[in-house]
Amino acid sequence: MKLKMPSKLSNKESRISDDFVELNKQKIKNKLNSSTYIILPIVIVLGILIYLVSPISKINQIKISGNGYVPVNEIKNDLNINSGDSIFKVFGHKKKINENVAKKDHRIKSIDFHFSGFNNLTIKVTPYREIGYETKGKNQYLILENGNVTNIAVKDPKDDKMPYIVKFNDRAKLRKMIQKYLKLPKDIRDNVRVISFSPTKVYADELHVYMRDGNRIIILMSDFNKKMGFYRSIATQLKTKSIINLEVGAYSYPISDQKNETKKSTTKTTLKVNKETKKSNTKRNQ
């Protein structure tokens, strides 16, 4: 019996030792958990600070694409974003940047941003379509597809490609005219050099259209698309550069003899236009 006593004491001491070890482990675990709540935020803040001062947080390269006819250097000036600037100058500020650029340059419709490789910035510019030119004083300004006129004078107008659309002080009428112009067949549209809003006491929506081939057209804005479609057939019949009046019916007379209209020319042109009208109506009915 005396030999078994040490064994019982040993087991009891062993259990006490295990409990003590487990208690210490729990205390250590609790301390670690408490330390984590303190250390983790510090580590995160330090990580952010290190990132902000590192080259990764700065814009490395800037690539501008899709700008069409708006010069890249002008876009850069409008954006005021350069290599070395913080990427947070762009993040979260897309709407504000678009608004600021739109105020500076009416040609730009929208701007989108995309980062690749952490800090390489790609800027995609979507401009408004250019329709023609408006003259103010000695300068020419671009007319855009939305009916607005740019606030930047054009240094080298490409007037061999786009028409001058002038005297449209009413912007609603200008927008309407643009939509009508864009609906013309391309060959006729490319032949238009000047569209001038020239209202009279008789016709409040009279237009004078100067063609690149030398002919002139007097037409009403309300009939613009319908009657301009006959221009090809009328122009081929003219033996000299002429003024074509399409206000009521259709007749023409040589530009060199504006005061004396020739009845022969008037009758011939009217008949041709009527034939074209009948053909057009027949196709629609089919």
Side-chain angles (χ1 to χ4, degrees), residues 176-201:
K176 189 176 181 180
M177 185 68 253
I178 289 171
Q179 295 306 312
K180 288 178 175 291
Y181 169 75
L182 291 175
K183 290 178 182 178
L184 289 177
K186 189 177 185 303
D187 62 316
I188 297 178
R189 191 169 67 239
D190 291 345
N191 195 10
V192 175
R193 184 169 62 86
V194 177
I195 300 175
S196 176
F197 185 65
S198 306
T200 64
K201 292 181 179 180

PDB file of all heavy atoms in Angstrom, residues 176-201:
ATOM      1  N   LYS A 176     -31.726  72.070 -85.343  1.00  0.00           N
ATOM      2  CA  LYS A 176     -32.647  71.480 -86.321  1.00  0.00           C
ATOM      3  C   LYS A 176     -31.991  71.395 -87.698  1.00  0.00           C
ATOM      4  O   LYS A 176     -32.118  70.391 -88.407  1.00  0.00           O
ATOM      5  CB  LYS A 176     -33.923  72.318 -86.387  1.00  0.00           C
ATOM      6  CG  LYS A 176     -35.038  71.701 -87.205  1.00  0.00           C
ATOM      7  CD  LYS A 176     -36.296  72.562 -87.117  1.00  0.00           C
ATOM      8  CE  LYS A 176     -37.435  71.934 -87.925  1.00  0.00           C
ATOM      9  NZ  LYS A 176     -38.666  72.785 -87.838  1.00  0.00           N
ATOM     10  N   MET A 177     -31.249  72.454 -88.057  1.00  0.00           N
ATOM     11  CA  MET A 177     -30.569  72.480 -89.348  1.00  0.00           C
ATOM     12  C   MET A 177     -29.494  71.400 -89.418  1.00  0.00           C
ATOM     13  O   MET A 177     -29.318  70.739 -90.458  1.00  0.00           O
ATOM     14  CB  MET A 177     -29.933  73.868 -89.544  1.00  0.00           C
ATOM     15  CG  MET A 177     -29.289  74.081 -90.930  1.00  0.00           C
ATOM     16  SD  MET A 177     -30.507  74.144 -92.243  1.00  0.00           S
ATOM     17  CE  MET A 177     -30.243  72.571 -93.039  1.00  0.00           C
ATOM     18  N   ILE A 178     -28.774  71.209 -88.332  1.00  0.00           N
ATOM     19  CA  ILE A 178     -27.724  70.190 -88.287  1.00  0.00           C
ATOM     20  C   ILE A 178     -28.309  68.805 -88.533  1.00  0.00           C
ATOM     21  O   ILE A 178     -27.769  68.007 -89.303  1.00  0.00           O
ATOM     22  CB  ILE A 178     -26.985  70.231 -86.930  1.00  0.00           C
ATOM     23  CG1 ILE A 178     -26.127  71.489 -86.848  1.00  0.00           C
ATOM     24  CG2 ILE A 178     -26.117  68.988 -86.734  1.00  0.00           C
ATOM     25  CD1 ILE A 178     -25.544  71.734 -85.482  1.00  0.00           C
ATOM     26  N   GLN A 179     -29.419  68.495 -87.877  1.00  0.00           N
ATOM     27  CA  GLN A 179     -30.062  67.193 -88.053  1.00  0.00           C
ATOM     28  C   GLN A 179     -30.510  66.986 -89.491  1.00  0.00           C
ATOM     29  O   GLN A 179     -30.388  65.893 -90.046  1.00  0.00           O
ATOM     30  CB  GLN A 179     -31.252  67.055 -87.096  1.00  0.00           C
ATOM     31  CG  GLN A 179     -30.877  67.055 -85.620  1.00  0.00           C
ATOM     32  CD  GLN A 179     -29.831  66.010 -85.290  1.00  0.00           C
ATOM     33  OE1 GLN A 179     -29.943  64.846 -85.693  1.00  0.00           O
ATOM     34  NE2 GLN A 179     -28.800  66.404 -84.561  1.00  0.00           N
ATOM     35  N   LYS A 180     -31.019  68.039 -90.115  1.00  0.00           N
ATOM     36  CA  LYS A 180     -31.447  67.943 -91.518  1.00  0.00           C
ATOM     37  C   LYS A 180     -30.239  67.741 -92.435  1.00  0.00           C
ATOM     38  O   LYS A 180     -30.269  66.928 -93.360  1.00  0.00           O
ATOM     39  CB  LYS A 180     -32.213  69.213 -91.918  1.00  0.00           C
ATOM     40  CG  LYS A 180     -33.614  69.319 -91.303  1.00  0.00           C
ATOM     41  CD  LYS A 180     -34.286  70.614 -91.703  1.00  0.00           C
ATOM     42  CE  LYS A 180     -35.722  70.678 -91.199  1.00  0.00           C
ATOM     43  NZ  LYS A 180     -36.598  69.709 -91.893  1.00  0.00           N
ATOM     44  N   TYR A 181     -29.188  68.481 -92.162  1.00  0.00           N
ATOM     45  CA  TYR A 181     -27.972  68.377 -92.969  1.00  0.00           C
ATOM     46  C   TYR A 181     -27.371  66.968 -92.902  1.00  0.00           C
ATOM     47  O   TYR A 181     -26.967  66.405 -93.923  1.00  0.00           O
ATOM     48  CB  TYR A 181     -26.957  69.414 -92.494  1.00  0.00           C
ATOM     49  CG  TYR A 181     -25.568  69.233 -93.059  1.00  0.00           C
ATOM     50  CD1 TYR A 181     -25.273  69.567 -94.374  1.00  0.00           C
ATOM     51  CD2 TYR A 181     -24.540  68.720 -92.262  1.00  0.00           C
ATOM     52  CE1 TYR A 181     -23.996  69.391 -94.893  1.00  0.00           C
ATOM     53  CE2 TYR A 181     -23.263  68.544 -92.772  1.00  0.00           C
ATOM     54  CZ  TYR A 181     -22.998  68.884 -94.078  1.00  0.00           C
ATOM     55  OH  TYR A 181     -21.728  68.700 -94.590  1.00  0.00           O
ATOM     56  N   LEU A 182     -27.348  66.396 -91.711  1.00  0.00           N
ATOM     57  CA  LEU A 182     -26.761  65.062 -91.538  1.00  0.00           C
ATOM     58  C   LEU A 182     -27.564  63.963 -92.232  1.00  0.00           C
ATOM     59  O   LEU A 182     -27.035  62.887 -92.506  1.00  0.00           O
ATOM     60  CB  LEU A 182     -26.635  64.735 -90.042  1.00  0.00           C
ATOM     61  CG  LEU A 182     -25.588  65.550 -89.278  1.00  0.00           C
ATOM     62  CD1 LEU A 182     -25.647  65.230 -87.799  1.00  0.00           C
ATOM     63  CD2 LEU A 182     -24.195  65.276 -89.825  1.00  0.00           C
ATOM     64  N   LYS A 183     -28.825  64.224 -92.529  1.00  0.00           N
ATOM     65  CA  LYS A 183     -29.669  63.230 -93.194  1.00  0.00           C
ATOM     66  C   LYS A 183     -29.534  63.252 -94.714  1.00  0.00           C
ATOM     67  O   LYS A 183     -30.067  62.377 -95.401  1.00  0.00           O
ATOM     68  CB  LYS A 183     -31.136  63.449 -92.801  1.00  0.00           C
ATOM     69  CG  LYS A 183     -31.437  63.099 -91.354  1.00  0.00           C
ATOM     70  CD  LYS A 183     -32.893  63.388 -91.012  1.00  0.00           C
ATOM     71  CE  LYS A 183     -33.180  63.074 -89.545  1.00  0.00           C
ATOM     72  NZ  LYS A 183     -34.577  63.403 -89.181  1.00  0.00           N
ATOM     73  N   LEU A 184     -28.812  64.237 -95.240  1.00  0.00           N
ATOM     74  CA  LEU A 184     -28.605  64.298 -96.692  1.00  0.00           C
ATOM     75  C   LEU A 184     -27.712  63.145 -97.149  1.00  0.00           C
ATOM     76  O   LEU A 184     -26.846  62.684 -96.400  1.00  0.00           O
ATOM     77  CB  LEU A 184     -27.935  65.617 -97.073  1.00  0.00           C
ATOM     78  CG  LEU A 184     -28.751  66.907 -96.967  1.00  0.00           C
ATOM     79  CD1 LEU A 184     -27.862  68.091 -97.324  1.00  0.00           C
ATOM     80  CD2 LEU A 184     -29.975  66.859 -97.856  1.00  0.00           C
ATOM     81  N   PRO A 185     -27.875  62.686 -98.392  1.00  0.00           N
ATOM     82  CA  PRO A 185     -26.931  61.705 -98.936  1.00  0.00           C
ATOM     83  C   PRO A 185     -25.520  62.275 -98.890  1.00  0.00           C
ATOM     84  O   PRO A 185     -25.323  63.493 -99.058  1.00  0.00           O
ATOM     85  CB  PRO A 185     -27.413  61.526-100.386  1.00  0.00           C
ATOM     86  CG  PRO A 185     -28.862  61.895-100.344  1.00  0.00           C
ATOM     87  CD  PRO A 185     -28.964  63.001 -99.322  1.00  0.00           C
ATOM     88  N   LYS A 186     -24.530  61.429 -98.677  1.00  0.00           N
ATOM     89  CA  LYS A 186     -23.158  61.901 -98.454  1.00  0.00           C
ATOM     90  C   LYS A 186     -22.627  62.737 -99.612  1.00  0.00           C
ATOM     91  O   LYS A 186     -21.951  63.747 -99.398  1.00  0.00           O
ATOM     92  CB  LYS A 186     -22.227  60.713 -98.213  1.00  0.00           C
ATOM     93  CG  LYS A 186     -20.822  61.137 -97.756  1.00  0.00           C
ATOM     94  CD  LYS A 186     -19.959  59.949 -97.463  1.00  0.00           C
ATOM     95  CE  LYS A 186     -18.612  60.383 -96.882  1.00  0.00           C
ATOM     96  NZ  LYS A 186     -17.885  61.317 -97.766  1.00  0.00           N
ATOM     97  N   ASP A 187     -22.915  62.349-100.853  1.00  0.00           N
ATOM     98  CA  ASP A 187     -22.371  63.096-101.988  1.00  0.00           C
ATOM     99  C   ASP A 187     -22.936  64.518-102.042  1.00  0.00           C
ATOM    100  O   ASP A 187     -22.228  65.463-102.383  1.00  0.00           O
ATOM    101  CB  ASP A 187     -22.634  62.357-103.299  1.00  0.00           C
ATOM    102  CG  ASP A 187     -24.123  62.205-103.586  1.00  0.00           C
ATOM    103  OD1 ASP A 187     -24.873  61.870-102.649  1.00  0.00           O
ATOM    104  OD2 ASP A 187     -24.541  62.430-104.743  1.00  0.00           O
ATOM    105  N   ILE A 188     -24.214  64.673-101.685  1.00  0.00           N
ATOM    106  CA  ILE A 188     -24.812  66.013-101.657  1.00  0.00           C
ATOM    107  C   ILE A 188     -24.274  66.795-100.459  1.00  0.00           C
ATOM    108  O   ILE A 188     -23.954  67.983-100.555  1.00  0.00           O
ATOM    109  CB  ILE A 188     -26.350  65.924-101.597  1.00  0.00           C
ATOM    110  CG1 ILE A 188     -26.883  65.247-102.872  1.00  0.00           C
ATOM    111  CG2 ILE A 188     -26.963  67.319-101.446  1.00  0.00           C
ATOM    112  CD1 ILE A 188     -28.391  65.062-102.882  1.00  0.00           C
ATOM    113  N   ARG A 189     -24.163  66.114 -99.315  1.00  0.00           N
ATOM    114  CA  ARG A 189     -23.651  66.759 -98.100  1.00  0.00           C
ATOM    115  C   ARG A 189     -22.227  67.284 -98.318  1.00  0.00           C
ATOM    116  O   ARG A 189     -21.896  68.399 -97.910  1.00  0.00           O
ATOM    117  CB  ARG A 189     -23.681  65.754 -96.944  1.00  0.00           C
ATOM    118  CG  ARG A 189     -23.432  66.379 -95.587  1.00  0.00           C
ATOM    119  CD  ARG A 189     -23.731  65.398 -94.483  1.00  0.00           C
ATOM    120  NE  ARG A 189     -22.815  64.288 -94.447  1.00  0.00           N
ATOM    121  CZ  ARG A 189     -23.166  63.006 -94.558  1.00  0.00           C
ATOM    122  NH1 ARG A 189     -24.433  62.687 -94.726  1.00  0.00           N
ATOM    123  NH2 ARG A 189     -22.270  62.037 -94.516  1.00  0.00           N
ATOM    124  N   ASP A 190     -21.399  66.487 -98.980  1.00  0.00           N
ATOM    125  CA  ASP A 190     -20.018  66.897 -99.236  1.00  0.00           C
ATOM    126  C   ASP A 190     -19.928  68.050-100.237  1.00  0.00           C
ATOM    127  O   ASP A 190     -18.901  68.736-100.311  1.00  0.00           O
ATOM    128  CB  ASP A 190     -19.208  65.713 -99.768  1.00  0.00           C
ATOM    129  CG  ASP A 190     -18.988  64.642 -98.707  1.00  0.00           C
ATOM    130  OD1 ASP A 190     -19.202  64.938 -97.513  1.00  0.00           O
ATOM    131  OD2 ASP A 190     -18.623  63.506 -99.073  1.00  0.00           O
ATOM    132  N   ASN A 191     -20.977  68.248-101.011  1.00  0.00           N
ATOM    133  CA  ASN A 191     -20.988  69.308-102.023  1.00  0.00           C
ATOM    134  C   ASN A 191     -21.434  70.655-101.447  1.00  0.00           C
ATOM    135  O   ASN A 191     -21.277  71.691-102.093  1.00  0.00           O
ATOM    136  CB  ASN A 191     -21.917  68.900-103.176  1.00  0.00           C
ATOM    137  CG  ASN A 191     -21.728  69.752-104.419  1.00  0.00           C
ATOM    138  OD1 ASN A 191     -20.786  70.531-104.519  1.00  0.00           O
ATOM    139  ND2 ASN A 191     -22.627  69.609-105.377  1.00  0.00           N
ATOM    140  N   VAL A 192     -21.976  70.652-100.237  1.00  0.00           N
ATOM    141  CA  VAL A 192     -22.468  71.887 -99.625  1.00  0.00           C
ATOM    142  C   VAL A 192     -21.299  72.703 -99.065  1.00  0.00           C
ATOM    143  O   VAL A 192     -20.521  72.210 -98.257  1.00  0.00           O
ATOM    144  CB  VAL A 192     -23.486  71.583 -98.502  1.00  0.00           C
ATOM    145  CG1 VAL A 192     -23.900  72.874 -97.799  1.00  0.00           C
ATOM    146  CG2 VAL A 192     -24.710  70.872 -99.070  1.00  0.00           C
ATOM    147  N   ARG A 193     -21.207  73.965 -99.478  1.00  0.00           N
ATOM    148  CA  ARG A 193     -20.127  74.841 -99.003  1.00  0.00           C
ATOM    149  C   ARG A 193     -20.612  75.817 -97.941  1.00  0.00           C
ATOM    150  O   ARG A 193     -19.927  76.058 -96.951  1.00  0.00           O
ATOM    151  CB  ARG A 193     -19.515  75.608-100.180  1.00  0.00           C
ATOM    152  CG  ARG A 193     -18.316  76.474 -99.815  1.00  0.00           C
ATOM    153  CD  ARG A 193     -17.604  76.980-101.070  1.00  0.00           C
ATOM    154  NE  ARG A 193     -18.473  77.829-101.873  1.00  0.00           N
ATOM    155  CZ  ARG A 193     -18.627  79.143-101.683  1.00  0.00           C
ATOM    156  NH1 ARG A 193     -17.983  79.752-100.691  1.00  0.00           N
ATOM    157  NH2 ARG A 193     -19.404  79.853-102.465  1.00  0.00           N
ATOM    158  N   VAL A 194     -21.808  76.381 -98.145  1.00  0.00           N
ATOM    159  CA  VAL A 194     -22.361  77.350 -97.191  1.00  0.00           C
ATOM    160  C   VAL A 194     -23.871  77.145 -97.077  1.00  0.00           C
ATOM    161  O   VAL A 194     -24.553  76.950 -98.094  1.00  0.00           O
ATOM    162  CB  VAL A 194     -22.096  78.815 -97.630  1.00  0.00           C
ATOM    163  CG1 VAL A 194     -22.747  79.788 -96.637  1.00  0.00           C
ATOM    164  CG2 VAL A 194     -20.616  79.094 -97.745  1.00  0.00           C
ATOM    165  N   ILE A 195     -24.369  77.167 -95.829  1.00  0.00           N
ATOM    166  CA  ILE A 195     -25.814  77.207 -95.585  1.00  0.00           C
ATOM    167  C   ILE A 195     -26.078  78.481 -94.800  1.00  0.00           C
ATOM    168  O   ILE A 195     -25.605  78.637 -93.675  1.00  0.00           O
ATOM    169  CB  ILE A 195     -26.301  75.991 -94.786  1.00  0.00           C
ATOM    170  CG1 ILE A 195     -25.999  74.687 -95.530  1.00  0.00           C
ATOM    171  CG2 ILE A 195     -27.803  76.101 -94.507  1.00  0.00           C
ATOM    172  CD1 ILE A 195     -26.337  73.441 -94.738  1.00  0.00           C
ATOM    173  N   SER A 196     -26.819  79.392 -95.409  1.00  0.00           N
ATOM    174  CA  SER A 196     -27.078  80.683 -94.782  1.00  0.00           C
ATOM    175  C   SER A 196     -28.565  80.838 -94.475  1.00  0.00           C
ATOM    176  O   SER A 196     -29.416  80.659 -95.351  1.00  0.00           O
ATOM    177  CB  SER A 196     -26.623  81.812 -95.716  1.00  0.00           C
ATOM    178  OG  SER A 196     -26.939  83.076 -95.166  1.00  0.00           O
ATOM    179  N   PHE A 197     -28.874  81.148 -93.232  1.00  0.00           N
ATOM    180  CA  PHE A 197     -30.267  81.387 -92.838  1.00  0.00           C
ATOM    181  C   PHE A 197     -30.635  82.807 -93.282  1.00  0.00           C
ATOM    182  O   PHE A 197     -30.081  83.795 -92.783  1.00  0.00           O
ATOM    183  CB  PHE A 197     -30.413  81.239 -91.323  1.00  0.00           C
ATOM    184  CG  PHE A 197     -31.834  81.362 -90.841  1.00  0.00           C
ATOM    185  CD1 PHE A 197     -32.789  80.428 -91.199  1.00  0.00           C
ATOM    186  CD2 PHE A 197     -32.210  82.414 -90.020  1.00  0.00           C
ATOM    187  CE1 PHE A 197     -34.095  80.534 -90.754  1.00  0.00           C
ATOM    188  CE2 PHE A 197     -33.514  82.534 -89.562  1.00  0.00           C
ATOM    189  CZ  PHE A 197     -34.460  81.583 -89.935  1.00  0.00           C
ATOM    190  N   SER A 198     -31.548  82.909 -94.254  1.00  0.00           N
ATOM    191  CA  SER A 198     -31.866  84.196 -94.867  1.00  0.00           C
ATOM    192  C   SER A 198     -33.374  84.418 -94.944  1.00  0.00           C
ATOM    193  O   SER A 198     -33.967  84.393 -96.034  1.00  0.00           O
ATOM    194  CB  SER A 198     -31.250  84.271 -96.268  1.00  0.00           C
ATOM    195  OG  SER A 198     -29.868  84.000 -96.229  1.00  0.00           O
ATOM    196  N   PRO A 199     -34.026  84.623 -93.815  1.00  0.00           N
ATOM    197  CA  PRO A 199     -35.486  84.788 -93.809  1.00  0.00           C
ATOM    198  C   PRO A 199     -35.932  86.067 -94.530  1.00  0.00           C
ATOM    199  O   PRO A 199     -35.211  87.065 -94.555  1.00  0.00           O
ATOM    200  CB  PRO A 199     -35.818  84.854 -92.319  1.00  0.00           C
ATOM    201  CG  PRO A 199     -34.564  85.350 -91.675  1.00  0.00           C
ATOM    202  CD  PRO A 199     -33.438  84.778 -92.480  1.00  0.00           C
ATOM    203  N   THR A 200     -37.118  85.996 -95.117  1.00  0.00           N
ATOM    204  CA  THR A 200     -37.706  87.157 -95.790  1.00  0.00           C
ATOM    205  C   THR A 200     -39.094  87.399 -95.201  1.00  0.00           C
ATOM    206  O   THR A 200     -39.587  86.613 -94.379  1.00  0.00           O
ATOM    207  CB  THR A 200     -37.823  86.911 -97.296  1.00  0.00           C
ATOM    208  OG1 THR A 200     -38.738  85.834 -97.530  1.00  0.00           O
ATOM    209  CG2 THR A 200     -36.464  86.558 -97.897  1.00  0.00           C
ATOM    210  N   LYS A 201     -39.754  88.455 -95.648  1.00  0.00           N
ATOM    211  CA  LYS A 201     -41.109  88.745 -95.191  1.00  0.00           C
ATOM    212  C   LYS A 201     -42.090  87.669 -95.653  1.00  0.00           C
ATOM    213  O   LYS A 201     -43.083  87.390 -94.986  1.00  0.00           O
ATOM    214  CB  LYS A 201     -41.558  90.109 -95.704  1.00  0.00           C
ATOM    215  CG  LYS A 201     -40.805  91.279 -95.082  1.00  0.00           C
ATOM    216  CD  LYS A 201     -41.313  92.610 -95.613  1.00  0.00           C
ATOM    217  CE  LYS A 201     -40.565  93.782 -94.978  1.00  0.00           C
ATOM    218  NZ  LYS A 201     -41.053  95.083 -95.493  1.00  0.00           N
TER     219      LYS A 201
END
